[in-house]
């Protein structure tokens, strides 16, 4: 495997190990995942550049980045439904997961490039708090009565 192909796999293993070893609470699980990702890219910042920056200017790398991001969105959506026991047809789970993946990618790029002046632990705690808040907001929205949705033509 090439490095751009291997990095998401190694990161995925790191995240799964973190989840396996995390505590039972959502806060413990989210913190473990966030810590695992931040440490992975911070231990060798070239990883972050390959995964989050260089793909933007290279069609093949960007396609891999988008595919990996889509897989992570689907994983987050499934994991949240499994943990909450709530399965809904409401698209808010996908919306929230997409915001998390895209926003966290941008956060990592900005932090790695020095545009966010916090240390590793503060980044992990802040991101964990924000992710948990987004999850709670998404759950609240999913339980609200909604107007019937119109099908969007594509």
């Amino acid at each position: 495997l090439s490095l751009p192909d291997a990095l998401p796999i190694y990161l995925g293993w790191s995240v799964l190990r973190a989840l396996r070893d995390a505590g039972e609470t959502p806060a413990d699980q989210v913190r473990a995942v966030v810590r695992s990702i931040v440490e992975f890219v911070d231990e060798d910042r070239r990883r972050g550049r390959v995964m989050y920056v260089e793909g933007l200017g290279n069609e093949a790398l960007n396609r891999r980045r988008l595919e990996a991001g889509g897989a992570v969105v689907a994983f987050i959506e499934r994991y949240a439904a499994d943990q909450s026991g709530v399965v809904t047809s409401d698209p808010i789970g996908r919306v929230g997961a997409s915001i998390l993946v895209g926003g966290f990618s941008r956060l990592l790029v900005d932090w790695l490039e020095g545009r966010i002046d916090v240390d590793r632990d503060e980044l992990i705690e802040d991101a964990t708090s924000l992710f948990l808040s987004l999850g709670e907001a998404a759950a609240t929205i999913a339980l609200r009565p909604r107007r019937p949705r119109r099908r969007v033509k594509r």
Side-chain angles (χ1 to χ4, degrees):
L1 282 177
S2 69
L3 183 62
D5 290 327
L7 284 176
I9 294 168
Y10 296 145
L11 178 57
W13 290 339
S14 175
V15 166
L16 291 174
R17 276 192 308 274
L19 273 174
R20 180 195 65 208
D21 298 340
E24 295 292 319
T25 70
D28 290 338
Q29 294 167 1
V30 170
R31 185 174 295 102
V33 168
V34 169
R35 178 172 300 285
S36 146
I37 295 168
V38 170
E39 288 177 351
F40 184 83
V41 298
D42 191 35
E43 287 169 359
D44 183 343
R45 288 181 170 228
R46 293 174 297 182
R47 294 173 181 165
R49 289 205 51 76
V50 169
M51 291 179 63
Y52 299 109
V53 178
E54 291 176 10
L56 298 175
N58 177 303
E59 186 177 340
L61 285 178
N62 193 39
R63 190 172 36 257
R64 281 190 209 106
R65 184 182 66 81
L66 292 172
E67 289 168 1
V72 173
V73 167
F75 172 79
I76 290 170
E77 189 177 21
R78 278 192 317 273
Y79 186 80
D82 290 347
Q83 295 302 305
S84 70
V86 176
V87 177
T88 176
S89 63
D90 194 300
I92 195 66
R94 175 62 54 124
V95 170
S98 294
I99 289 170
L100 284 178
V101 171
F104 195 42
S105 295
R106 184 70 224 181
L107 173 65
L108 289 171
V109 168
D110 285 348
W111 182 69
L112 290 169
E113 293 185 350
R115 290 191 292 266
I116 297 177
D117 187 23
V118 296
D119 65 26
R120 181 196 283 194
D121 290 333
E122 192 173 359
L123 179 75
I124 292 165
E125 288 306 311
D126 289 350
T128 298
S129 295
L130 289 168
F131 288 1
L132 290 167
S133 295
L134 179 60
E136 291 167 7
T140 299
I141 292 168
L143 294 174
R144 278 196 284 195
R146 308 264 312 240
R147 293 182 306 196
R149 288 192 303 262
R150 295 182 308 206
R151 295 290 278 164
V152 177
K153 291 186 181 189
R154 298 176 202 253

